[in-house]
Amino acid sequence: MKLRELGQTGIPISPLGLGTVKFGRDQQVKYPWKFKIPDDQAVRELLSLSRELGINLLDTAPAYGNSEERLGQLLSNRQQWVIVSKVGETFENGQSHFDFSAAATRTTIENSLRKLKTDYLDVVLVHSDGNDQRLIEQEDALETLMKLKQEGLIRAVGLSTKTTDGGLWTVEHTDLVMATRNTSDHTDDPVLDRALQLNKGVVIKKGLQSGHADSQAGGAGIDEAIRYVFSHPAVSCLIAGTINPEHLKENAQLVAQLTD
Ligand SMILES: NC(=O)c1ccc[n+]([C@@H]2O[C@H](COP(=O)([O-])OP(=O)(O)OC[C@H]3O[C@@H](n4cnc5c(N)ncnc54)[C@H](OP(=O)(O)O)[C@@H]3O)[C@@H](O)[C@H]2O)c1
């Protein structure tokens, strides 16, 4: 899989990233099938298989249970990875909590650095709670991330958005957007069009509709879902979650074919 630059950040990333929700959280998730959180050995194997397949990007968040902590324990050679994490949402005792204040943002970053056993984060996104406009206009999370970037703790910042207007603002004012694109959700198309004009990074979430794209779950098929995501030239990377090594291989093979 050929690496490409994430917008203008200077960060080389693989076009397929590994989503790590299932490494740390099995409550209040929207997958079609029940699953068991993989043990340490299984996570180690998924990580080393990812590297073999050319994947260098890992997507995590404090909202994904103990995903960050497990990555910190199980990742070897941190320099080889591009770690994407988030601020604004935490998930504890079966519940999400949102806090987009400057103080919470700083504390979250300190915690992420400690859990991930690193002294920098490659990418940090504000994890939208749905009200992008309020986050942009009234909260301090993004401004705080920009200061932390100046302080050298973060290399690139952006928003994981939930609205088209929020996405449009994000591509104008930040390094990258995490947007939605799948065969039944085209609402972020204008965001991708604008990102292409501005050469900003675009990381796609929910490309496989949390697994509902699978034909066995009644969807059009994972292949079609992946092809659809990459049919827009603005897409820098698809984040796909999986804890199944065969699925990881299939996804990587197709993404390599579509992007090499
Ligand atoms: N920022 C945000 O607001 C936000 C929101 C949602 C997600 N995300 C990020 O995006 C990542 C992906 O999201 P997601 O986990 O909700 O869903 P997703 O990537 O759309 O789908 C993951 C599901 O697809 C299944 N899958 C993957 N490859 C497959 C294949 N080849 N064949 C059949 N099934 C396959 C996986 O099952 P198996 O494990 O069995 O392969 C898993 O249940 C997350 O891990 C997270 O990092 C971010």
Side-chain angles (χ1 to χ4, degrees):
M1 208 177 297
K2 270 201 200 120
L3 300 185
R4 61 239 324 252
E5 187 177 343
L6 177 61
Q8 298 161 43
T9 62
I11 304 175
I13 58 158
S14 52
L16 180 65
L18 181 63
T20 65
V21 174
K22 283 177 147 185
F23 288 6
R25 172 167 164 181
D26 59 1
Q27 291 170 288
Q28 292 174 48
V29 284
K30 297 175 186 156
Y31 303 112
W33 326 111
K34 279 212 159 121
F35 70 99
K36 232 179 102 212
I37 290 182
D39 65 19
D40 287 356
Q41 189 51 29
V43 171
R44 267 194 211 98
E45 283 169 16
L46 282 162
L47 293 170
S48 96
L49 177 61
S50 297
R51 285 303 298 144
E52 278 167 37
L53 294 167
I55 295 168
N56 75 345
L57 187 143
L58 295 172
D59 183 65
T60 184
Y64 304 164
N66 65 352
S67 161
E68 286 183 311
E69 219 152 4
R70 297 196 75 198
L71 290 177
Q73 280 158 8
L74 302 170
L75 263 190
S76 51
N77 211 340
R78 192 262 177 264
Q79 302 296 327
Q80 285 187 356
W81 296 96
V82 172
I83 299 182
V84 180
S85 193
K86 310 190 187 71
V87 293
E89 180 181 353
T90 50
F91 187 80
E92 275 159 335
N93 306 320
Q95 270 198 316
S96 278
H97 302 272
F98 294 95
D99 191 340
F100 299 97
S101 65
T105 303
R106 277 198 178 260
T107 306
T108 303
I109 295 298
E110 283 163 16
N111 288 341
S112 292
L113 291 170
R114 183 175 39 77
K115 289 187 210 162
L116 286 158
K117 298 193 170 119
T118 183
D119 55 6
Y120 71 98
L121 296 166
D122 298 278
V123 178
V124 180
L125 306 167
V126 181
H127 210 158
S128 175
D129 59 353
N131 195 339
D132 296 350
Q133 219 56 40
R134 188 181 50 75
L135 290 184
I136 291 163
E137 288 169 4
Q138 294 171 31
E139 298 280 6
D140 294 326
L142 187 61
E143 204 187 316
T144 309
L145 290 184
M146 287 179 174
K147 283 187 193 147
L148 291 165
K149 182 181 163 187
Q150 279 170 6
E151 291 168 26
L153 296 180
I154 302 172
R155 296 171 73 192
V157 303
L159 252 83
S160 172
T161 53
K162 296 264 171 86
T163 63
T164 311
D165 282 347
L168 286 169
W169 185 92
T170 299
V171 293
E172 297 283 344
H173 296 96
T174 75
D175 301 318
L176 75 152
V177 65
M178 180 177 270
T180 300
R181 176 172 177 81
N182 62 54
T183 47
S184 19
D185 189 341
H186 316 155
T187 47
D188 279 342
D189 277 3
V191 176
L192 272 63
D193 296 343
R194 188 70 183 128
L196 188 64
Q197 287 170 347
L198 297 169
N199 188 22
K200 290 293 177 78
V202 176
V203 171
I204 299 296
K205 62 181 169 181
K206 300 185 185 163
L208 311 182
Q209 295 174 261
S210 302
H212 295 276
D214 186 5
S215 51
Q216 288 186 47
I222 296 289
D223 268 38
E224 190 175 322
I226 293 177
R227 282 178 200 282
Y228 182 75
V229 167
F230 284 98
S231 65
H232 198 296
V235 173
S236 317
C237 174
L238 163 66
I239 310 281
T242 182
I243 51 172
N244 178 324
E246 291 312 312
H247 290 168
L248 185 61
K249 282 186 219 162
E250 285 163 20
N251 299 349
Q253 221 161 34
L254 180 56
V255 172
Q257 192 189 312
L258 294 173
T259 58
D260 272 2

